[in-house]
Amino acid sequence: MKSKSNKVSRRSFLKIGAAMGAAMCVPSVVTNAMGANSSAVINNSTTADNDLPFIKESRTLGNGKHALRVSALGLGMMGMNYHRGPHPDKQAMIKLTRQAVERGVTFIDTAIGYGPYTNEELTGEALEPFKNKMVYGTKFYDGTDRGAALERYIQECLESSLKRLRIDTIDLYYLHRYSGNVPIEEIVVILQKFIKEGKIKHYGLSEVNAETIRKAHAVEPVTALQSEYHLMWREPEKNVLPVCKELGIGFVPYSPVNRGFLTGAINEYTRFDMGNDNRNILPRFTPEAIRSNTRIVEVLNAFGRTRGMTAAQVAQAWLLTKEQWIVPITGTTKLAHLEENLRTLDFTLSPEEMAELENGVSQITIVGDRYPASEQQRVGH
């Protein structure tokens, strides 16, 4: 493992964030990281004035004319006002989003279903000053219960997202969930039309199986697949990732630190808001499951302790090292955690270290399903 990073704990990151109030007011130069040519995990450099992390690495999702260049880490917007409990002040989240851009993040992820609508609205307002420098990813539900009105429904979703995001075209438009009620080819033909019209540049799929990926790709090449993937959920390795590699499709893992669990910040006494935090219904976030699965966090902490890495950085470095066409999107509501995530790019893991880490985690039986049965039925078609 190679690093230029200082050895800093997660608690230290929080202390640093609290002390940076004055520094936040200093204007920063916004740089478009998409111009970078490196496709490998490289040691990160920082801004000269205050040693803040800055992403210089970019990666490519998709192939050929369907390729999309993005920053090596993306920012997931969902948790800023949806599914993660009482959300912070809107202006604070706008400020945090802009700070991410100032630190080289060019890839932003949201969805029409987050809120619904309010997350796209937040994203649009936050990024309006930088919209020509950003890569926007958003999602729509397939609406396959609409029959002949399907195209009109997707067009309405698209037009409304463009309005909320305050842009003229969407860089990466995902099918959020595929119900399987109509052939995937029919949906892709509709998206293909919007690509030709210039309303979207590329399309992606979320939480679908290998067969669906192949069928969609045969109609119009898929640029990226977004699915849950982390050290506690490695199912994509069985069929989905091999297909992505074969077809040249990028992979965007959501929840790369398992909804905060792999940071070590959650324990069996943590309680989740019943109104706006979906973790309260997830089997892996019951007190019993958390108590058992904490052993995984202990493995990450032990691995990172001798390398100057926090558990969150270990989890994300593992993803970044798996493949060069993998681009995690990590969400946060705190500047200290944002900078902790960005400093993950200070580290590279050797094959031996990857094997050591995976072996340590594999010794632990994970307790609890990732979704309740009602939610699990919505994925994997």
Side-chain angles (χ1 to χ4, degrees):
M1 189 271 295
K2 298 179 180 179
S3 170
K4 291 183 179 179
S5 171
N6 295 325
K7 295 186 176 182
V8 184
S9 68
R10 189 171 183 86
R11 182 174 295 177
S12 298
F13 272 104
L14 290 172
K15 291 180 179 178
I16 292 169
M20 288 182 59
M24 291 181 208
C25 299
V26 179
S28 300
V29 177
V30 178
T31 302
N32 184 0
M34 292 175 66
N37 293 319
S38 170
S39 61
V41 175
I42 61 175
N43 284 328
N44 190 22
S45 64
T46 56
T47 56
D49 293 339
N50 46 21
D51 196 38
L52 295 176
F54 186 88
I55 297 181
K56 299 188 76 173
E57 179 197 342
S58 59
R59 292 188 169 192
T60 300
L61 303 171
N63 263 336
K65 69 177 183 179
H66 304 282
L68 184 61
R69 199 74 167 165
V70 299
S71 53
L73 280 174
L75 179 64
M77 297 292 291
M78 185 194 78
M80 290 188 180
N81 65 1
Y82 182 65
H83 259 354
R84 287 298 176 266
H87 48 80
D89 174 73
K90 179 181 178 181
Q91 293 305 314
M93 295 300 92
I94 288 174
K95 185 175 185 178
L96 179 62
T97 303
R98 292 174 179 176
Q99 287 167 330
V101 177
E102 291 165 357
R103 286 153 177 75
V105 175
T106 66
F107 187 33
I108 301 293
D109 183 84
T110 182
I112 195 172
Y114 299 163
Y117 316 128
T118 55
N119 199 251
E120 284 189 330
E121 291 169 353
L122 171 66
T123 302
E125 183 174 352
L127 295 179
E128 187 167 28
F130 316 113
K131 59 185 178 182
N132 294 328
K133 298 179 180 292
M134 304 306 298
V135 176
Y136 288 77
T138 192
K139 316 174 198 70
F140 72 99
Y141 293 117
D142 67 13
T144 49
D145 58 338
R146 287 165 172 78
L150 178 60
E151 181 174 341
R152 184 170 70 249
Y153 161 77
I154 296 176
Q155 181 172 0
E156 289 173 352
C157 289
L158 174 58
E159 297 289 356
S160 66
S161 289
L162 288 169
K163 183 176 180 180
R164 284 187 292 271
L165 293 171
R166 307 184 186 191
I167 54 179
D168 298 321
T169 185
I170 294 172
D171 301 286
L172 183 55
Y173 200 43
Y174 295 98
L175 172 60
H176 202 165
R177 294 287 189 267
Y178 174 50
S179 66
N181 292 335
V182 299
I184 188 64
E185 296 91 338
E186 292 185 19
I187 298 174
V188 176
V189 166
I190 295 171
L191 295 176
Q192 192 176 49
K193 174 187 174 183
F194 295 134
I195 291 174
K196 291 177 181 177
E197 293 176 355
K199 292 181 179 178
I200 62 177
K201 294 181 181 178
H202 310 277
Y203 86 100
L205 304 172
S206 175
E207 290 283 11
V208 297
N209 60 32
E211 180 183 3
T212 298
I213 296 170
R214 289 188 184 279
K215 288 179 178 179
H217 193 79
V219 177
E220 177 77 15
V222 181
T223 290
L225 177 74
Q226 182 178 134
S227 290
E228 182 173 350
Y229 182 46
H230 47 73
L231 280 164
M232 291 178 66
W233 178 255
R234 297 179 62 181
E235 284 296 308
E237 294 175 4
K238 294 181 179 179
N239 298 303
V240 170
L241 286 179
V243 170
C244 287
K245 187 171 186 176
E246 174 192 341
L247 300 179
I249 299 171
F251 189 83
V252 180
Y254 72 80
S255 295
V257 292
N258 189 20
R259 300 168 178 84
F261 185 82
L262 293 177
T263 69
I266 293 172
N267 61 46
E268 62 185 288
Y269 303 107
T270 302
R271 294 297 176 263
F272 306 106
D273 183 89
M274 295 295 292
N276 187 38
D277 196 325
N278 70 336
R279 289 174 293 188
N280 72 74
I281 65 168
L282 302 181
R284 287 189 183 164
F285 285 85
T286 64
E288 297 76 16
I290 291 172
R291 186 185 312 120
S292 179
N293 293 334
T294 295
R295 290 177 294 170
I296 294 176
V297 179
E298 293 170 356
V299 170
L300 270 60
N301 280 329
F303 181 91
R305 191 172 297 122
T306 58
R307 296 167 171 86
M309 304 174 72
T310 66
Q313 289 171 335
V314 172
Q316 292 173 91
W318 175 79
L319 282 170
L320 287 163
T321 306
K322 291 295 285 186
E323 298 286 357
Q324 295 305 313
W325 37 269
I326 288 180
V327 180
I329 47 170
T330 311
T332 185
T333 59
K334 297 180 176 64
L335 178 62
H337 291 171
L338 169 66
E339 295 185 346
E340 176 184 6
N341 296 335
L342 299 186
R343 288 192 189 278
T344 301
L345 291 165
D346 289 345
F347 303 96
T348 57
L349 301 182
S350 68
E352 293 76 18
E353 287 174 315
M354 290 288 284
E356 176 189 342
L357 179 59
E358 292 180 356
N359 182 63
V361 172
S362 69
Q363 304 304 310
I364 300 168
T365 300
I366 297 171
V367 175
D369 295 328
R370 69 164 180 152
Y371 282 134
S374 59
E375 289 293 313
Q376 188 59 39
Q377 291 176 357
R378 301 179 61 204
V379 300
H381 295 290

